[in-house]
Amino acid sequence: MSDDLDDIHPLFHGAPSTTEFKKLRKRIIRNVREAVEQYGMIERGAKWLVCLSGGKDSYTMLAALYELKWRGMLPVELLACNLDQGQPNFPATVLPEFLEKMGVPHRIEYQDTYSIVKEKVPANRTYCALCSRLRRGNLYRIAREEGCSAVVLGHHRDDILETFFMNLFHGGRLATMPPKLVNEDGDLFVYRPMAHVAEADCEKFAQAMNYPIIPCDLCGSQDGLQRQQVKQILDTWEKNSPGRRQVMFKALTNIRPSHMLDDKLFDFAGLMRTVADNSSEKADELSEIPVLR
């Protein structure tokens, strides 16, 4: 990949020239392209609302989408968006200044959902569910106002795996965050083009590019979060068996309904044998065999 300042997007200016970083960057771009193509995300001429939190994942997503667009592989318009949710000490100027410097079209929206979450959720409960619903509702509204057909989120492979195990352990269902869905009103797509990208790659990439990371302090200090417990379990499995995360992720793309137990997905009651029933003939044959005494 060329890093010539005359033909690369400013998001990649100053990229390390090491072989290791070039391989990392190539892997991330390849993974994003695979997800975009595999799950049919491209509508030529569409406009995407690319949601930025200021974390490593959303920075990586933004850079990857712009590289694909620069290479002619993503014929859509990109509008970056940050929803400032009114968290105390949130550095409100970081993202606007960064996006201005990078020449990225963007919209910064302020909505104090933090106060609502703090008011509605008891002190000993996690904030994530309500916070996520309020954030999603605002992002849908902004997408409509901006004429976007899709809301694009930065969830990566490990987010998807963790959500699967959260549902397995605590929700009693086999489900996770899909790479593509339609919202309840049926007017917007929700895309996760980072679905194939490992979290570790996002972290390495964002650090190498020295992007201004903004941590989420709303719920990060709460002990005993179920998602953190799941992450620790996956970390242990990965440490003991390197590559385990990728194998588990592959399983999510290789589901066999006939080998599960959900009769809404597979007609077990209607399952028929294809060989004719000849049990009576076999019984007659057995009766003719002399019994040894």
Side-chain angles (χ1 to χ4, degrees):
M1 294 181 178
S2 172
D3 288 334
D4 189 331
L5 296 186
D6 294 330
D7 64 359
I8 194 72
H9 193 275
L11 283 164
F12 286 95
H13 286 181
S17 58
T18 63
T19 300
E20 181 181 3
F21 179 81
K22 290 179 179 179
K23 288 181 178 179
L24 170 66
R25 175 175 163 183
K26 183 176 181 180
R27 182 166 62 249
I28 290 172
I29 300 303
R30 181 181 68 248
N31 288 340
V32 173
R33 182 185 180 187
E34 287 173 352
V36 166
E37 293 180 350
Q38 179 178 352
Y39 301 111
M41 298 181 188
I42 296 179
E43 290 181 293
R44 186 172 294 274
K47 185 177 182 180
W48 289 5
L49 189 75
V50 181
C51 303
L52 302 181
S53 65
K56 63 184 187 308
D57 310 326
S58 59
Y59 278 123
T60 303
M61 174 179 67
L62 182 68
L65 293 179
Y66 263 92
E67 173 142 349
L68 287 177
K69 183 175 174 64
W70 173 70
R71 294 182 178 280
M73 300 175 182
L74 190 63
V76 302
E77 181 180 351
L78 303 176
L79 176 66
C81 177
N82 172 250
L83 179 63
D84 182 345
Q85 298 179 258
Q87 296 180 29
N89 303 317
F90 180 78
T93 62
V94 170
L95 271 171
E97 291 176 355
F98 173 81
L99 295 170
E100 287 286 349
K101 180 180 178 182
M102 296 296 115
V104 174
H106 61 277
R107 172 170 170 175
I108 306 297
E109 180 84 4
Y110 178 81
Q111 292 290 331
D112 185 10
T113 63
Y114 175 82
S115 297
I116 298 174
V117 171
K118 293 288 287 185
E119 177 185 351
K120 300 293 184 182
V121 180
N124 61 337
R125 300 290 297 276
T126 61
Y127 302 136
C128 297
L130 179 58
C131 179
S132 177
R133 287 198 299 271
L134 295 174
R135 181 173 60 250
R136 191 68 58 86
N138 278 291
L139 292 174
Y140 287 165
R141 171 183 57 79
I142 296 168
R144 296 183 184 107
E145 292 173 358
E146 295 290 345
C148 297
S149 62
V151 172
V152 185
L153 306 176
H155 296 121
H156 46 64
R157 181 200 69 180
D158 297 78
D159 289 325
I160 291 173
L161 271 178
E162 289 162 17
T163 301
F164 172 80
F165 282 103
M166 288 278 290
N167 283 316
L168 176 66
F169 295 156
H170 305 290
R173 60 183 178 273
L174 296 182
T176 188
M177 299 183 292
K180 177 182 179 180
L181 60 84
V182 177
N183 69 333
E184 292 181 356
D185 292 333
D187 64 331
L188 292 169
F189 284 115
V190 177
Y191 295 150
R192 294 183 173 93
M194 299 279 285
H196 293 176
V197 180
E199 181 177 16
D201 282 352
C202 294
E203 185 169 4
K204 293 175 185 176
F205 181 85
Q207 287 181 350
M209 292 304 304
N210 199 30
Y211 291 146
I213 305 299
I214 302 174
C216 176
D217 296 325
L218 178 60
C219 55
S221 62
Q222 291 178 291
D223 294 330
L225 287 176
Q226 295 172 346
R227 184 171 290 275
Q228 290 300 320
Q229 294 172 354
V230 168
K231 182 184 287 289
Q232 291 171 6
I233 292 173
L234 295 178
D235 286 344
T236 300
W237 288 346
E238 184 70 21
K239 181 179 179 181
N240 293 336
S241 301
R244 179 64 59 85
R245 271 189 168 94
Q246 186 58 30
V247 172
M248 291 187 291
F249 182 80
K250 184 178 180 180
L252 296 181
T253 70
N254 188 25
I255 299 170
R256 301 182 181 182
S258 63
H259 288 58
M260 300 298 286
L261 283 77
D262 191 340
D263 59 3
K264 295 185 291 298
L265 294 180
F266 188 82
D267 184 13
F268 293 100
L271 190 62
M272 302 295 291
R273 290 171 292 171
T274 57
V275 179
D277 186 357
N278 57 2
S279 57
S280 59
E281 296 177 3
K282 289 183 178 180
D284 292 340
E285 293 174 0
L286 289 174
S287 65
E288 295 175 1
I289 298 176
V291 179
L292 298 179
R293 299 184 183 278

